[in-house]
Amino acid sequence: MQQAKTTILSLPTGEFVHPGTRACTGCGLSIAYRVGLKALGPDTMLIVPPSCLTVLQGLFPVASTKLPCLNVTFASTAAAATGILATLKAQGNTHTTVAAWAGDGGTSDIGLQALSGAAERGDNFIYFCYDNEGYMNTGVQRSGTTPIGAITANTPFKGKLQQKKDVPAIMAAHHLSYVAACSAAYPLDLYDKILKCRDLPGTKYFHIHIPCPPGWGYDPRYGIKIGRLAVETGYYDLYEVVNGEFRLTAASEKLVEKRKLVPVREYFRSQSRFKVLTEEQIADIQKQIDDKWEGYYKKSD
Amino acid sequence: MHIIEDGNAAAALGVRLCRPQVIAAYPITPQTPVTEKLSEYVEEGSLSAQYIPVESEHSALAVCIAASSAGARVFTATSANGLLYMHEQVQWAAGARLPIVMCVVNRAVGAPWNIWNDQQDSISQRDTGWIQMYCADHQQILDTVIKAYWLAEKVSIPIMVCYDGYILSHTFMPFDLPEAGKVDAFLPPFQPDYALNPREPANLNTVTLPDVRVDVHGELAHGYMEIRYLLQEDLRLALAAAAEMERRFAGVFGRTADPYLEPYRCDDADFVAVGLGSLTYQLRVSVDALRAEGIRVGVMGVRFYRPFPDEAIANALKGKKSVIVFEKALSYGYEGALASDLKSALYEYLGGTGSLPTVQNFIAGIGGREIHTQELTDTLRAATQARVSKEPVWIGLKL
Amino acid sequence: MGTRHYRRKTSHSEHGPGDGGRTGSWRVERPVFDRNLCIPCKRNKEACFICWLFCPEIVISRTIPPTVDLEYCKGCGICAEECPTKAITMVDEAKFAEEDKE
């Protein structure tokens, strides 16, 4: 059964985040978090490790978020979700949603062990990795999900030399009921996916591509455009894996019909972090993207 | 009902009587049998709890921290490197003021790898803001677990119940298993001041500033320094709460004990051996032997190590000629931590009185090296004759 | 500080607006709406609201006309960039300096 797609006009107007946060001007996370919490709703308990979100959520004694939240140590996000769930079970509470929101460093690097453990145990919660592709809160250092070629504070001249870690694929290999790749530039796709997965069993994993003005090097006003460009170039794909079934969604699904990708050069040239990528490297990445999409086209034929 | 079981079973039986709602643990020798037993109780239905087989000790305490924050009574246990791997979470649990009870089955820490008993693991966590209680036999293990839940929940501070690996954990001794009704009478269900929930949302353990700040009600809220000060203040107040704990326990179970110390033949002693855990019971044999030789010596077990019962210890050692501290751990680069703590208490309460005992420090049983009672007796005898050394002396070292 | 009024012994935060202070002071440019171009204004019915959807700071109202909470608007300009009819212009705050004094 296909659920009706949410539109801007049908999106609930209630907010769970107060204005006046400490997030940077034009923060992509603010958009994804705001819409994500709308989908999760008021009967939700949150877990947050150190990250940009810790700052966004406010400094004691003021919280920017209207939902209950447990701040936990960097490596323990998913295990803390397990702990909250265990208490809810002990209390006979089957209605409250448990949701963890961690950054890409907190997920792909230091938090991966706990996340894998919770996923293997099949603990029933939603894990959100908001991927701004670096340790932005500590001043833009490389993480496991920083893409190849990106300049960061500790890949200062050559850019990162290694590939981005494919965390959604790692999580899909845990045979989860639901894995999704989303983007802050497509908030309604994120919203609908959260509604869709809520009643599925076990651990649900969301990966959200998050444009970051200071970390990526662009004028804050272009954040959504750049997030969209990542998808329209076929560089970052919106998809879901439901009980092992992979499916492109939203704009990525439409790209299969269009069969026309925007050249990835446009994405790279929109941000200063990629300034050291050579034309040869870009051509190489373009070929990888084209090959990946050939696969998608063939599958749809 | 008297039963004969090993020390880990005594701990597990004690835990079951306390009705924890969430148990998380990761296996490490010699702790494993405690958590295996608890998983049996949960699977057979004799304990109604969520048993979480986590993927690391760091996560074991993470589960306990989160579960406790949401209002559950929780339990975990570990040893040695498992405790060290938890270290960040150990600090966190204290700062978050969660009444977690954790058994530490004492074992040596690496490197090199060593699975045998000493107390370097729990002693290395001395300054984390947890209460530490040490056990010398199986009855104490079971009773201390029950007492620990009462005290932890009374003062909102987590507690380590420490007992020696193998020497206590894997040996069989008779002990009294109390009726569930008595434990229920002693230990009411956990009623936290606040439990994380969507009806009363709060953001817990947020970044806290160096200075005070106004809250959403327009009132001044504390800064990080006040939160940390209150932990220290409540730890010191926990000493009085521990005395209340013993009184209440005695009222329900009929077993009385000093909350902090366990003296043996100390009243008329000139010399007192001091230690933590099972070693102090072995020292009783040495004390009896030396008493037969006419040497006025006693032994005092320290049951409550953090917060340190400084005044009680100083009073108990007043008028003694020498205090001889035996330890299975070391503050590397100086001396045994207990010896340092004792010196500090004696200086504070007896300094300038003219009755300040000398303090000697002996290190024994590191990494499970067998401690022969004869060696203890000889060491203790020598220490009563003259101060052996300013530096800590390692017993049984084969250099 | 002689007396303590601390509610709890932990870092226990309660929610409210403006944790980051009046973040409107961060703003360099201010979004200004042209009601002749704004879709919901022109049609006088609920429509579009793309500016509301993408506002990271939740300072644009989902109303006709949409309004901006200048106390907290950081002036990122995403609303101006995403507006399909270019109804929002980012205007230098210096131009409002005199106006705001009044």
Side-chain angles (χ1 to χ4, degrees):
Chain A
M1 194 183 70
Q2 198 73 17
Q3 65 184 33
K5 282 201 168 127
T6 303
T7 64
I8 298 178
L9 293 181
S10 66
L11 189 68
T13 53
E15 304 289 353
F16 295 96
V17 184
H18 287 284
T21 71
R22 288 169 202 265
C24 301
T25 303
C27 172
L29 168 61
S30 297
I31 299 167
Y33 194 53
R34 173 193 176 198
V35 173
L37 295 192
K38 280 175 188 271
L40 290 167
D43 193 9
T44 300
M45 306 230 296
L46 300 168
I47 297 109
V48 173
S51 68
C52 293
L53 189 50
T54 318
V55 177
L56 187 156
Q57 294 225 95
L59 268 47
F60 177 77
V62 184
S64 298
T65 306
K66 298 175 189 172
L67 296 176
C69 176
L70 189 65
N71 288 275
V72 299
T73 59
F74 215 174
S76 70
T77 313
T82 299
I84 301 259
L85 274 168
T87 298
L88 292 178
K89 253 192 211 168
Q91 294 167 343
N93 177 337
T94 52
H95 49 82
T96 299
T97 303
V98 177
W101 286 77
D104 49 283
T107 301
S108 72
D109 296 339
I110 195 168
L112 195 57
Q113 173 175 308
L115 174 57
S116 177
E120 182 269 334
R121 288 190 298 271
D123 293 329
N124 182 8
F125 72 108
I126 310 177
Y127 188 102
F128 296 90
C129 168
Y130 67 90
D131 183 10
N132 49 25
E133 304 189 322
Y135 289 88
M136 302 322 193
N137 194 34
T138 47
V140 195
Q141 293 81 26
R142 84 189 276 289
S143 79
T145 69
T146 301
I148 192 165
I151 287 186
T152 67
N154 60 353
T155 55
F157 306 122
K158 297 176 183 169
K160 188 182 169 188
L161 302 174
Q162 300 82 13
Q163 294 283 355
K164 182 184 176 88
K165 193 187 282 189
D166 189 350
V167 186
I170 294 169
M171 295 319 295
H174 286 71
H175 307 294
L176 301 184
S177 61
Y178 197 82
V179 173
C182 307
S183 163
Y186 297 89
L188 298 177
D189 175 60
L190 168 65
Y191 183 87
D192 282 339
K193 282 171 173 167
I194 297 171
L195 292 193
K196 183 172 182 177
C197 83
R198 281 185 61 154
D199 296 327
L200 295 175
T203 308
K204 281 77 69 175
Y205 178 80
F206 279 70
H207 202 88
I208 315 172
H209 201 223
I210 299 287
C212 168
W216 292 10
Y218 64 85
D219 183 327
R221 69 185 287 153
Y222 300 119
I224 300 302
K225 283 230 150 60
I226 287 170
R228 215 178 276 139
L229 210 45
V231 171
E232 288 167 351
T233 54
Y235 178 74
Y236 180 87
D237 306 332
L238 306 175
Y239 63 83
E240 60 184 9
V241 186
V242 188
N243 293 316
E245 286 288 320
F246 176 96
R247 188 178 78 83
L248 291 169
T249 65
S252 294
E253 189 182 18
K254 291 200 181 91
L255 278 178
V256 176
E257 293 158 26
K258 277 202 217 157
R259 305 225 165 178
K260 187 160 169 41
L261 302 173
V262 174
V264 76
R265 181 186 293 101
E266 284 189 35
Y267 176 69
F268 289 134
R269 294 308 181 219
S270 67
Q271 305 155 59
S272 66
R273 64 172 171 158
F274 289 118
K275 65 184 176 198
V276 294
L277 265 186
T278 63
E279 286 300 321
E280 289 75 28
Q281 282 174 304
I282 292 175
D284 196 43
I285 295 168
Q286 184 66 64
K287 187 172 179 317
Q288 289 169 29
I289 292 172
D290 292 343
D291 289 348
K292 176 178 75 179
W293 279 86
E294 274 308 316
Y296 291 156
Y297 299 151
K298 268 192 197 132
K299 241 169 94 182
S300 78
D301 287 340
Chain B
M1 182 179 69
H2 273 80
I3 60 167
I4 298 176
E5 263 293 358
D6 66 23
N8 279 330
L13 289 164
V15 170
R16 181 170 67 176
L17 285 165
C18 295
R19 307 184 192 280
Q21 293 147 296
V22 177
I23 297 163
Y26 186 78
I28 183 168
T29 303
Q31 155 264 33
T32 25
V34 188
T35 55
E36 287 170 0
K37 276 263 185 297
L38 288 167
S39 73
E40 279 173 35
Y41 299 158
V42 171
E43 285 202 7
E44 77 190 11
S46 67
L47 170 61
S48 173
Q50 304 298 315
Y51 182 91
I52 315 291
V54 285
E55 79 297 332
S56 76
E57 286 91 354
H58 194 274
S59 286
L61 207 43
V63 167
C64 289
I65 285 168
S68 182
S69 301
R73 181 175 286 164
V74 303
F75 177 77
T76 188
T78 192
S79 297
N81 287 60
L83 180 60
L84 303 190
Y85 192 45
M86 278 181 186
H87 180 66
E88 172 189 36
Q89 305 283 57
V90 169
Q91 301 262 9
W92 194 270
R97 304 297 300 270
L98 301 168
I100 296 165
V101 171
M102 168 163 69
C103 283
V104 177
V105 189
N106 288 120
R107 168 185 148 179
V109 302
W113 278 123
N114 175 295
I115 61 158
W116 292 275
N117 166 248
D118 68 31
Q119 294 172 340
Q120 192 67 36
D121 50 1
S122 58
I123 292 296
S124 76
Q125 305 300 303
R126 180 188 66 165
D127 301 336
T128 53
W130 283 54
I131 293 168
Q132 283 197 354
M133 297 159 86
Y134 286 79
C135 309
D137 67 14
H138 294 28
Q139 189 70 58
Q140 283 186 14
I141 294 173
L142 186 142
D143 290 357
T144 306
V145 165
I146 297 166
K147 290 172 188 172
Y149 275 107
W150 185 89
L151 182 60
E153 290 169 12
K154 174 91 177 166
V155 297
S156 297
I157 294 171
I159 299 185
M160 288 181 205
V161 175
C162 309
Y163 56 92
D164 290 303
Y166 308 103
I167 297 166
L168 294 179
S169 70
H170 284 65
T171 55
F172 284 73
M173 269 194 230
F175 56 90
D176 174 53
L177 180 66
E179 294 153 29
K182 280 191 175 175
V183 178
D184 291 339
F186 174 75
L187 180 69
F190 178 38
Q191 298 279 354
D193 177 39
Y194 173 78
L196 199 69
N197 75 89
R199 288 175 310 284
E200 236 186 313
N203 201 317
L204 301 182
N205 311 318
T206 33
V207 178
T208 300
L209 294 163
D211 215 332
V212 295
R213 189 182 178 210
V214 173
D215 69 14
V216 294
H217 308 282
E219 289 175 27
L220 208 56
H222 37 221
Y224 177 88
M225 194 152 151
E226 284 72 27
I227 291 175
R228 285 280 153 173
Y229 172 78
L230 292 169
L231 172 60
Q232 161 69 2
E233 185 177 75
D234 284 351
L235 270 163
R236 297 303 293 171
L237 292 172
L239 286 169
E244 189 192 341
M245 166 192 86
E246 284 295 346
R247 274 196 304 278
R248 286 178 48 94
F249 191 86
V252 176
F253 298 92
R255 284 194 283 277
T256 57
D258 181 281
Y260 320 119
L261 305 171
E262 197 178 18
Y264 177 76
R265 303 185 82 166
C266 285
D267 286 350
D268 65 338
D270 294 323
F271 305 94
V272 174
V274 180
L276 299 164
S278 64
L279 179 60
T280 58
Y281 278 21
Q282 194 180 358
L283 278 161
R284 289 179 177 193
V285 182
S286 297
V287 162
D288 288 343
L290 293 173
R291 284 272 178 177
E293 294 174 19
I295 302 170
R296 296 210 300 192
V297 60
V299 57
M300 196 172 73
V302 176
R303 302 175 56 205
F304 210 81
Y305 180 51
R306 273 296 177 276
F308 194 58
D310 52 335
E311 191 174 0
I313 287 184
N315 285 337
L317 297 174
K318 196 173 179 177
K320 307 302 178 196
K321 287 182 182 155
S322 188
V323 177
I324 303 132
V325 189
F326 289 83
E327 295 188 69
K328 290 180 175 178
L330 193 66
S331 172
Y332 279 90
Y334 190 31
E335 61 184 4
L338 178 60
S340 292
D341 290 336
L342 266 172
K343 281 182 187 172
S344 163
L346 293 173
Y347 183 91
E348 175 63 29
Y349 291 95
L350 304 180
T353 64
S355 59
L356 196 61
T358 61
V359 176
Q360 305 184 61
N361 191 197
F362 294 93
I363 307 299
I366 297 299
R369 172 66 61 88
E370 191 172 352
I371 303 171
H372 298 285
T373 306
Q374 189 58 50
E375 274 179 324
L376 286 180
T377 307
D378 293 345
T379 304
L380 200 49
R381 185 190 300 106
T384 62
Q385 287 160 356
R387 192 175 186 211
V388 175
S389 168
K390 179 186 144 311
E391 293 291 320
V393 176
W394 295 50
I395 301 175
L397 198 62
K398 297 172 183 172
L399 282 177
Chain C
M1 299 221 312
T3 54
R4 278 189 212 137
H5 297 291
Y6 305 143
R7 288 163 178 267
R8 294 175 205 275
K9 293 171 176 178
T10 53
S11 174
H12 177 111
S13 296
E14 292 170 288
H15 69 85
D19 163 64
R22 290 185 175 165
T23 50
S25 64
W26 302 8
R27 200 171 55 243
V28 180
E29 290 179 325
R30 178 182 298 189
V32 175
F33 282 70
D34 182 341
R35 293 189 194 178
N36 296 319
L37 296 173
C38 170
I39 293 170
C41 297
K42 272 200 307 192
R43 296 189 194 161
N44 196 27
K45 64 177 225 185
E46 294 207 331
C48 186
F49 293 133
I50 283 174
C51 54
W52 170 75
L53 175 69
F54 284 114
C55 176
E57 213 45 47
I58 324 182
V59 294
I60 299 180
S61 68
R62 195 180 162 290
T63 52
I64 308 167
T67 59
V68 180
D69 182 350
L70 291 173
E71 181 152 339
Y72 295 120
C73 170
K74 294 170 182 167
C76 69
I78 286 177
C79 53
E81 193 61 32
E82 295 306 314
C83 177
T85 57
K86 302 283 168 215
I88 306 169
T89 315
M90 298 305 289
V91 180
D92 193 334
E93 275 295 324
K95 297 224 168 78
F96 300 96
E98 286 304 309
E99 204 176 292
D100 288 351
K101 269 183 207 161
E102 285 158 19

